[in-house]
Amino acid sequence: MTILNKLFSSLNIDFKFLKTKYFNTKIKIFEFILVEALYILMSVLLMLPASDQSFKQILGQFQIFAAIYLAFRFRFFGLFIGLFINLFEIVLLSYAYMAHPMIGILAGFTSKVLTILSSIVMAILSNKQEKQKEELQEQKSKLETLSVTDDLTGAYNHRFFNSTLDNEIEKLKLTRDCIALIMIDIDNFKMCNDISGHDYGDDILKGTASILKEAAGDGNTVCRYGGDEFAIILPSSNLQSASQIAHRIRNLFEKQKTNYFEENSYSNITLSMGLSVYPDMADNKDELINQADMALYHSKNLGKDNIHFYQDILVKLKKNISSDHQHMIGVFKALLSTISAKDMYTRGHSERVAHYAVKIGEALNLNLKDISMLQYAGLLHDIGKVEIPKVILSKKEKLTDAEQEIIKQHPLYSANILEPLNMNQLIDYVIHHHERYDGHGYPHGLAGKSISLGARILCVADCFDAILSERPYSSSMNMNEAFLELEHHSGSQFDPEIVNILINVMKNSEEYKKAI
């Protein structure tokens, strides 16, 4: 019974192979049956003794063509079918010739032998051609894979990320569906890379990519966005389903990272994630990427190992803004878009500064008008950086004295840009947010209470977020380290009262609880 099972199993595999190789379309099946039926019919007619000899000669030529055609189209399978019939005819002709040695029978016998030889040659050549075609196709496929795949991790590369996102968004123009994007950063990667070496850093990247591909599931695209950052494209996903996948990634990463990373360091390796959705939140591809990236920044600023969804501060602002200032939303959006085009870090940083400034204002029991003005100022305090050369904004090395002087001009540039708004309080907060409590700030060297309360609040909120952020020229700190840094400069750079208020507010916030 076991032998029969093995036999049937083997036959089943062979039939599957034949179907894939030769009969993968209905046209090929019909073609094979038709030619084979004609071939058999011609064989029967050739064997009939009463048939006219001239007719048999013409029919024989067609039969040779059919045999070679079968060998060419269906290679060895077609050859074997034709071979069986030809051998049967050769046996019959051999008996006929022995009984009646006639030149016509000998000619038929020779024709059959030559048909077999021609079919064998044709099947070999056709099979060789097919193998070469398959090898070329395989090489082409490998080259195509290499062109869109990151060599180290096996995830798709940045080029494929852009083309895929373009294609998916183009599809959505014809439907009412949505697409989500998760940006992922490996926390503490640089530290592990520096301490344990680049080989171990490569292992972290490869292991992370493997876990991400498993956790993301079918239909979703995992890409290496650059360095230690990955991106996952989630077609037909809204914010809720994207959130579920993000949490699944995080949970699976925690379970499986022990299989990829050394025990002495894997506890420090976590993932920070930022999410956004098109078209629910973003209007286009660039906006979707920028929003997910800003959410990722916020996730890292909250203490890493977090999942953060992009929240459009302008939407929130629109709900809370006074009726007198509703017309300003379009202006703010245009100004923020301008700074985003120049420097994405500044856009995200501005939104977070506005968030912290509002928290301080609420803790001080300021009125709604002053809190709103703090929010506007937080959003626009660095708008003047559009006038600063990008090479200076993104410089990793220490700035020269001349470059520092250029940077110090950005509060004045901001004030000039905001002047047409005719909002003196806003301009005051923005132009003085780099003044120091001890009088050694810029641009006017104001000190103590001579600096407006809004500017003092903005100064603390601005520096707090900068300390938490990973910047080209300095590493980020965690929240507790940021509190110590603020306290260290309290009374010199910062208003002590505002420093204490921010620390108390943040220690009681959900953000701090998540961070610790």
Side-chain angles (χ1 to χ4, degrees), residues 192-360:
C192 293
N193 206 31
D194 291 343
I195 293 171
S196 303
H198 292 290
D199 289 341
Y200 181 56
D202 289 348
D203 289 340
I204 291 175
L205 292 170
K206 287 186 279 189
T208 300
S210 298
I211 296 170
L212 292 180
K213 282 187 273 190
E214 181 181 346
D218 296 334
N220 299 319
T221 306
V222 177
C223 306
R224 186 180 178 192
Y225 193 72
D228 60 341
E229 197 170 342
F230 291 85
I232 302 180
I233 300 170
L234 309 170
S236 302
S237 289
N238 56 25
L239 193 59
Q240 184 179 359
S241 58
S243 173
Q244 290 172 350
I245 291 173
H247 282 91
R248 186 170 75 204
I249 289 169
R250 185 179 175 187
N251 294 335
L252 190 67
F253 187 81
E254 283 302 308
K255 288 179 183 177
Q256 293 198 7
K257 65 182 180 181
T258 56
N259 301 327
Y260 293 94
F261 315 138
E262 293 175 8
E263 188 174 354
N264 63 343
S265 62
Y266 67 69
S267 59
N268 294 323
I269 304 169
T270 53
L271 300 178
S272 291
M273 290 180 252
L275 286 74
S276 187
V277 179
Y278 170 90
D280 297 351
M281 296 178 175
D283 293 330
N284 52 55
K285 171 193 159 187
D286 290 337
E287 205 167 281
L288 177 64
I289 296 170
N290 292 338
Q291 288 179 0
D293 214 28
M294 280 191 279
L296 173 60
Y297 259 112
H298 202 114
S299 180
K300 292 186 78 69
N301 282 4
L302 293 176
K304 304 175 183 178
D305 193 21
N306 280 299
I307 298 168
H308 190 74
F309 315 115
Y310 176 77
Q311 294 178 320
D312 192 338
I313 196 165
L314 291 177
V315 173
K316 293 168 69 178
L317 192 64
K318 195 170 185 178
K319 291 178 182 177
N320 301 322
I321 198 170
S322 66
S323 57
D324 294 339
H325 292 156
Q326 281 289 331
H327 68 284
M328 299 303 298
I329 291 295
V331 177
F332 291 164
K333 188 172 184 179
L335 290 170
L336 288 172
S337 297
T338 303
I339 192 64
S340 295
K342 186 69 172 284
D343 178 28
M344 271 313 304
Y345 165 78
T346 300
R347 166 69 186 265
H349 165 71
S350 298
E351 292 192 358
R352 294 189 296 272
V353 169
H355 170 70
Y356 297 133
V358 167
K359 279 184 173 293
I360 296 170

Side-chain angles (χ1 to χ4, degrees), residues 7 68 102 135 237 275 361 450 480:
L7 178 63
I68 294 173
M102 297 172 58
E135 286 172 1
S237 289
L275 286 74
S450 62
N480 286 323

Side-chain angles (χ1 to χ4, degrees), residues 11 87 158 245 364 403 427 432 472 496:
L11 286 171
L87 288 172
H158 197 276
I245 291 173
L364 284 168
E403 289 168 340
I427 293 172
H432 294 134

